[in-house]
Amino acid sequence: MKIHKRILNLSAWLAVLAILCIPGTLHTEDGPLRTEYGFPIRFFTNYHYANSDGTIWFISGISLNVLLYLFNVLLIYTGIHVILYIKKRLTI
């Protein structure tokens, strides 16, 4: 199977932009207060601590699961590839 670099690049950017465009899910019941972002699988977590220990770093309360990010890119890549394949088959 040939990998289309343009579609892969687009799917990687769409996975990153999903953090900004799609609202996150707020979890309050188990563990610390956190908001999870990502589509279709949540891979970016922002923890909301009451005491931030005086740190000014933006990334101090953030967790990024790279494996889930790559899985999101794979799912989006597959979705775009299927849509383009169906479009190609219908226009012939």
Side-chain angles (χ1 to χ4, degrees):
M1 181 176 145
K2 182 180 176 184
I3 296 177
H4 299 279
K5 292 181 182 177
R6 290 182 64 138
I7 298 174
L8 184 64
N9 187 18
L10 177 66
S11 61
W13 277 106
L14 286 176
V16 170
L17 291 176
I19 295 172
L20 301 173
C21 298
I22 299 175
T25 304
L26 182 65
H27 295 279
T28 57
E29 64 278 350
D30 55 338
L33 184 65
R34 68 187 187 277
T35 307
E36 295 179 346
Y37 300 96
F39 180 79
I41 298 173
R42 310 289 185 184
F43 64 92
F44 184 84
T45 306
N46 185 8
Y47 292 99
H48 308 285
Y49 296 116
N51 185 8
S52 63
D53 298 327
T55 182
I56 59 171
W57 289 98
F58 171 71
I59 60 172
S60 63
I62 291 179
S63 173
L64 178 67
N65 192 335
V66 178
L67 184 62
L68 290 178
Y69 169 72
L70 293 175
F71 192 64
N72 271 350
V73 170
L74 178 67
L75 287 175
I76 294 170
Y77 174 83
T78 304
I80 292 172
H81 202 277
V82 166
I83 289 170
L84 291 176
Y85 178 76
I86 291 172
K87 180 183 171 188
K88 179 181 173 185
R89 296 293 281 177
L90 290 176
T91 56
I92 293 179

